[in-house]
Amino acid sequence: MTAIVSADAALALGDDALVLSHRLGEWAGHAPVLEEEVALANIALDLLGQARVLLSQVGDEDELAYLREERAFRNLQLVEQPNGDFAHTIARQLYFSTYQHLLYGELAAGDGEFAALAAKAVKEVDYHRDHAEQWTLRLGDGTEESHRRMQRACEALWRFTGEMFQPVPGLDLDRDSLEARWTASVTSVLDRATLTVPEGPRTGAWAAGAGRQGLHTEPFGRMLAEMQHLHRSHPGATW
Amino acid sequence: MTGVTATATAAAGTDTANRAVFDAAVAADERIEPRDWMPEEYRSSLVRQMAQHAHSEIIGMQPEANWITRAPSLRRKAILMAKVQDEAGHGLYLYSAAETLGTGREELLDKLHSGRQKYSSIFNYPTLTWADVGAIGWLVDGAAITNQVPLCRCSYGPYARAMVRICKEESFHQRQGYELLLTLSRGTPEQHAMAQDAVNRWWWPSLMMFGPPDDESAHSAQSMTWKIKRHSNDELRQRFVDIAVGQAEALGLTLPDPDLRWNEERGHHDFGAIDWAEFWDVLKGNGPCNEQRITQRRRAHEEGAWVREAADAYARKQHATKTANGEATA
């Protein structure tokens, strides 16, 4: 089965989508406007759909989501970061959806085993990227307060962006080109939003690539405790 | 009745003449549209009901959203997220429908936040276990559908049309809730007990969703005359009980009412007395979650103020830029 060959890749991409979907689900009932209740839930649902397809290629989706411990998750540290204020959520969306859009665009164009999944997902992700871009512009070029918050959020999350361009076994991509296109795209949005592109290290909390090796940040364990609690309390039950 | 006729009539006649046209349209089961003449009390009664309905969708997201991050399987998590998203969408349709009567969403939200307008009493009960998500789908959405299907024929066009769309989605949610409970009921003994406990806690509050008994319902008579409402509170409650009894049996769960039994003579189920003291108490703000629900809603609104201000400021700048460019070209 070819899926075994790239289980690492399916887990990495699937965990990214699963964890970010969970974070966005935390917004339900707390969004700044009703339209964003709909939009954030919509994006969370798209990501959860992607996660389910990807995890199912590796094994049972629920066993993988609910019975693995923190050290076995392969998601980027970026997507596990707490929601923070709306600006932090949007900055995280901008960085990640830009990456995901470029990545899935490339996978969809190829003939690898992720091509079909990527072809479907790239349309969803294009919408996510557009949503994040529009809000980056509104917040960056809105009021003084929103500008300050958006700039701070972009800086706070910047350190986690290098990890997206570390190699993932099973994903044969030109990472330098991916990174160059990501930087160009994000720079263009931040410029238009009157924001400054952050400077400084992009190595994550440990070293770049740590999340992909199961080394996560502290908030992640607490997130998993909440997510897995009920499932783990009833071993073997069907839901 | 069309907007054109109403406008023509308004120009030609007095309020008495308008009133006659309005009454005739309602009597003939025609739809009243936003630009038609309508009695002030009809307008205010509709705004009150539609606003309360919209607020209920928005506050109603909270008890279910409480379980999104703990849903026990990815499939259930997706279903629950989609449902909560639908509720936000229903709130949006209903605020839009209310806006056709000349009241803005901001104003309605202010009234919700300040406690001047209400939302359904049911959402002041807590979701304590995962099975509550199923009980809400089966019983709360079931009661809502029983109430709302007749509203698809309500005399006010925009409200009736919003309800057609909402009822379709609500029926879907109800089936999903039922299926969730069925899975639990047929699952492990712990899961079965969880399902039974949830039904025990949600049954009576669901019956209260139909409102006070007919002889204590302040707005009923007028709403029936205007065909905003088609059936009395007690009629709809009875219809709901009759349907729920069979569904509970199929689920393998019991309903927490020792007086519940089939009455051959009436052709309906008799059921026990509702605790109206509890109902009025919850309505007055003393239910288990009233404070928590409204506080969370206000906080989301207040903490989102800077985001809304940013969006407004950005829109103004974009508009100014376009205008400036337009003038430059001209």
Side-chain angles (χ1 to χ4, degrees), chain B residues 157-207:
Chain B
Y159 194 19
R161 288 188 289 274
M163 290 319 303
V164 171
R165 205 165 152 189
I166 290 174
C167 283
K168 279 183 197 159
E169 293 178 349
E170 292 288 4
S171 309
F172 195 57
H173 299 160
Q174 198 215 1
R175 285 202 295 277
Q176 289 170 329
Y178 184 88
E179 192 257 334
L180 191 164
L181 277 185
L182 189 65
T183 306
L184 293 180
S185 178
R186 291 176 176 175
T188 66
E190 290 78 15
Q191 286 177 305
H192 182 91
M194 192 192 278
Q196 184 62 60
D197 169 63
V199 169
N200 292 349
R201 285 181 288 108
W202 288 92
W203 172 249
W204 292 107
S206 301
L207 292 193

Side-chain angles (χ1 to χ4, degrees), chain B residues 46-115:
Chain B
L46 272 171
V47 168
R48 180 182 51 75
Q49 186 175 337
M50 289 158 76
Q52 181 169 329
H53 195 160
H55 300 334
S56 300
E57 297 283 357
I58 301 311
I59 298 284
M61 294 167 69
Q62 290 183 29
E64 295 177 288
N66 185 36
W67 281 92
I68 286 180
T69 53
R70 292 176 289 168
S73 75
L74 297 186
R75 172 171 165 264
R76 293 291 179 198
K77 187 174 185 164
I79 290 172
L80 185 56
M81 272 186 186
K83 183 181 178 187
V84 174
Q85 181 193 19
D86 281 348
E87 281 158 4
H90 295 172
L92 282 171
Y93 303 158
L94 287 162
Y95 286 123
S96 302
E99 283 177 343
T100 64
L101 292 166
T103 316
R105 196 209 296 182
E106 283 310 308
E107 190 182 335
L108 296 175
L109 280 174
D110 277 349
K111 286 184 175 162
L112 168 65
H113 297 151
S114 60

Side-chain angles (χ1 to χ4, degrees), chain A residues 90 130-142 146 150 188-195, chain B residues 310 314 317-318:
Chain A
I90 291 301
D130 184 58
H131 173 263
E133 178 178 328
Q134 295 304 320
W135 272 112
T136 303
L137 295 175
R138 286 187 199 111
L139 298 181
D141 194 16
S146 70
M150 194 64 211
S188 151
V189 176
L190 294 184
D191 280 350
R192 280 182 287 138
T194 71
L195 295 161
Chain B
Y314 180 75
K317 286 183 200 176
Q318 292 299 104

Side-chain angles (χ1 to χ4, degrees), chain A residues 70-117:
Chain A
E70 187 177 337
R71 292 282 283 107
F73 274 81
R74 293 288 175 262
N75 55 284
L76 297 167
Q77 291 178 346
L78 175 68
V79 295
E80 75 202 27
Q81 295 311 305
N83 288 333
D85 66 5
F86 191 68
H88 278 77
T89 291
I90 291 301
R92 192 181 60 196
Q93 285 301 112
L94 179 72
Y95 291 163
F96 182 73
S97 61
T98 302
Y99 157 76
Q100 213 189 9
H101 187 239
L102 293 168
L103 177 70
Y104 282 179
E106 198 163 322
L107 292 174
D111 56 0
E113 60 190 311
F114 296 116
L117 162 95

Side-chain angles (χ1 to χ4, degrees), chain A residues 13-224:
Chain A
L13 302 184
D15 286 350
D16 283 349
L18 178 72
V19 170
L20 186 55
S21 167
H22 185 96
R23 285 295 188 209
L24 292 174
E26 293 173 351
W27 269 104
H30 298 272
V33 279
L34 288 177
E35 284 81 356
E36 283 308 297
E37 293 283 0
V38 177
L40 295 173
N42 207 328
I43 296 169
L45 268 171
D46 286 344
L47 290 168
L48 185 53
Q50 293 165 15
R52 295 180 66 190
V53 173
L54 285 158
L55 295 182
S56 297
Q57 297 195 1
V58 183
D60 179 90
E61 60 177 33
D62 286 336
E63 278 179 28
L64 287 165
Y66 291 100
L67 299 176
R68 269 184 301 159
E69 295 191 4
E70 187 177 337
R71 292 282 283 107
F73 274 81
R74 293 288 175 262
N75 55 284
L76 297 167
Q77 291 178 346
L78 175 68
V79 295
E80 75 202 27
Q81 295 311 305
N83 288 333
D85 66 5
F86 191 68
H88 278 77
T89 291
I90 291 301
R92 192 181 60 196
Q93 285 301 112
L94 179 72
Y95 291 163
F96 182 73
S97 61
T98 302
Y99 157 76
Q100 213 189 9
H101 187 239
L102 293 168
L103 177 70
Y104 282 179
E106 198 163 322
L107 292 174
D111 56 0
E113 60 190 311
F114 296 116
L117 162 95
K120 178 178 181 290
V122 77
K123 294 177 204 145
E124 298 169 347
V125 175
D126 192 27
Y127 159 75
H128 306 171
R129 193 200 48 74
D130 184 58
H131 173 263
E133 178 178 328
Q134 295 304 320
W135 272 112
T136 303
L137 295 175
R138 286 187 199 111
L139 298 181
D141 194 16
T143 64
E144 270 179 42
E145 183 184 8
S146 70
H147 178 89
R148 182 174 52 77
R149 285 182 186 248
M150 194 64 211
Q151 185 66 49
R152 194 169 62 196
C154 287
E155 279 161 16
L157 294 169
W158 184 250
R159 63 189 306 198
F160 298 107
T161 55
E163 200 177 5
M164 297 186 285
F165 310 106
Q166 293 299 313
V168 175
L171 279 189
D172 185 20
L173 296 166
D174 182 346
R175 310 221 141 242
D176 290 340
S177 146
L178 190 67
E179 180 164 8
R181 284 178 292 145
W182 182 89
T183 306
S185 175
V186 167
T187 301
S188 151
V189 176
L190 294 184
D191 280 350
R192 280 182 287 138
T194 71
L195 295 161
T196 312
V197 178
E199 288 169 7
R202 298 170 65 195
T203 54
W206 294 67
R212 296 284 188 228
Q213 295 155 31
L215 293 167
H216 294 279
T217 56
E218 282 184 347
F220 184 55
R222 200 164 285 106
M223 192 205 100
L224 282 188

